[in-house]
Amino acid sequence: MAANGLAPLSRLGQNFLIDGNVAGKIIAALEPGPDDLVLEIGPGPGFLSAALAARAGRFLAVEIDPGMAQVAAQRLSPFPWARVVKADALKVDLLELVASGLELPSGAASSSGSGPRLKVFSNLPYYITTPLLMKVLEEFRRLPAGSPAADRGVFMVQKEVADRILAEPGGKDYGVLTLAVQYYSQASPVCTVSRHSFWPAPDVDSVVIRLDFRDVPAAPLAPQDLFPVVRGAFGQRRKKVANSLAASPALMMSREDAYKALAAAGVDPDRRGETLSLDEFVRLASEWKRISEERASEAGRGGAS
Ligand code: SAM
């Protein structure tokens, strides 16, 4: 970095991992293999990138900072199957990126026999953690036929974000992020990471989490039917779920319909929204979908008569 006149930029969340022990745990959790396409979001100067690229069949990194992208590319020059793309990961089309990664020459001398898999690693810049996680989870579900299967992601996140992702119903950390991650993947903790494992040291500790992407979502309900109800229920924490749902401007649900949907879903209307499990939210949102379709068809009949 010094040779390239670069210093860490805090506005881009540039706290670089300098701990080889943690890097080893990340590599073990990701298990990059000779058939895999590995995507890294935010390689920085490429400390981990070279280790990942050395093990992967193909390797692609997306970095917003042109200076860092250049240093990472220099570091990856021994690996013809690796490329750094200078782009904003929040704006880039991940499906196009995966397609371009598949055009790289394969670095595999032999096959693991497991078939190609798509894996993603990011030491996530803290200021884009949630939108970037959601983007990866949502876009990887839409990979076209012929793409490698989205297998898993390993993410370094701030401890408080890991607490939210891994939370159980009823606790203060349980929320929309918990349920969204659960809907698309199975989350597990890999290790906690002290702030002293980074240069410069951030103000908080971090946790490495592993997300195993599901082939099909955990629930038989489309996200656009499920998540408005989840957001409505969390809109007013510590309030009864029936009241939170009826107060949600996005749902336009009357109190009467809120009680009806909750009864049909077998959920006590006096419970607080943050105590409902994913299964209970799925039952509730399915009932609300049915009721709102009934209401729409009644209104249609009313309009036609
Ligand atoms: N992977 C390296 C490591 O583990 O040491 C760097 C991690 S550092 C926490 C985050 C990196 O993400 C930085 O290099 C930063 O420039 C990059 N970054 C920040 N915002 C980004 C964005 N929107 N798109 C792509 N990269 C981004």
Side-chain angles (χ1 to χ4, degrees):
M1 283 175 58
N4 285 271
L6 297 172
L9 298 174
S10 60
R11 71 180 164 80
L12 291 178
Q14 292 183 347
N15 302 96
F16 301 116
L17 185 67
I18 50 167
D19 184 329
N21 186 31
V22 175
K25 288 181 183 168
I26 289 170
I27 293 166
L30 196 69
E31 289 185 284
D35 293 322
D36 297 337
L37 169 60
V38 172
L39 174 65
E40 182 179 7
I41 298 171
F47 169 57
L48 257 161
S49 319
L52 295 173
R55 291 164 174 80
R58 296 178 170 91
F59 179 87
L60 205 54
V62 192
E63 172 58 59
I64 198 170
D65 181 331
M68 290 297 161
Q70 201 180 340
V71 177
Q74 281 163 15
R75 218 173 190 144
L76 289 168
S77 59
F79 310 106
W81 56 91
R83 188 194 303 151
V84 181
V85 176
K86 198 209 86 49
D88 181 342
L90 279 181
K91 295 196 181 135
V92 81
D93 181 330
L94 290 179
L95 303 189
E96 277 177 20
L97 201 67
V98 168
S100 75
L102 292 173
E103 284 167 15
L104 291 167
S106 170
S110 63
S111 165
S112 64
S114 58
R117 293 171 304 181
L118 174 60
K119 297 182 172 181
V120 54
F121 165 69
S122 186
N123 175 1
L124 281 168
Y126 67 91
Y127 73 109
I128 54 168
T129 301
T130 304
L132 199 60
L133 267 180
M134 291 315 304
K135 182 177 162 79
V136 168
L137 290 167
E138 281 162 5
E139 294 193 12
F140 277 15
R141 281 259 307 124
R142 297 202 300 270
L143 287 166
S147 290
D151 179 70
R152 78 185 75 160
V154 173
F155 299 98
M156 173 91 73
V157 295
Q158 293 191 355
K159 185 179 173 307
E160 93 28 68
V161 177
D163 289 344
R164 283 165 56 208
I165 289 173
L166 300 167
E168 299 288 339
K172 70 171 176 32
D173 296 317
Y174 185 69
V176 181
L177 182 64
T178 321
L179 288 155
V181 171
Q182 245 180 62
Y183 178 79
Y184 291 109
S185 70
Q186 268 183 304
S188 51
V190 174
C191 60
T192 53
V193 185
S194 148
R195 64 197 71 187
H196 304 296
S197 295
F198 301 92
W199 174 77
D203 294 334
V204 291
D205 295 326
S206 297
V207 173
V208 178
I209 55 162
R210 170 175 162 173
L211 304 185
D212 288 283
F213 302 127
R214 297 183 193 276
D215 294 336
V216 288
L221 193 65
Q224 64 272 24
D225 293 323
L226 176 62
F227 286 103
V229 173
V230 172
R231 282 191 205 96
F234 281 103
Q236 299 189 315
R237 288 181 94 101
R238 291 184 291 280
K239 289 254 173 16
K240 291 178 183 175
V241 62
N243 293 340
S244 303
L245 292 171
S248 161
L251 287 174
M252 295 195 299
M253 193 189 292
S254 66
R255 271 178 72 81
E256 186 200 353
D257 280 348
Y259 276 94
K260 208 171 159 183
L262 286 159
V267 177
D268 180 345
D270 288 343
R271 280 173 63 187
R272 291 171 295 128
E274 61 267 30
T275 66
L276 270 62
S277 67
L278 179 60
D279 281 352
E280 289 174 314
F281 272 118
V282 169
R283 292 207 304 271
L284 177 60
S286 304
E287 292 302 334
W288 169 237
K289 184 170 187 251
R290 189 181 54 72
I291 293 169
S292 52
E293 281 165 3
E294 261 171 40
R295 295 281 176 263
S297 89
E298 282 162 15
R301 280 200 301 275
S305 61

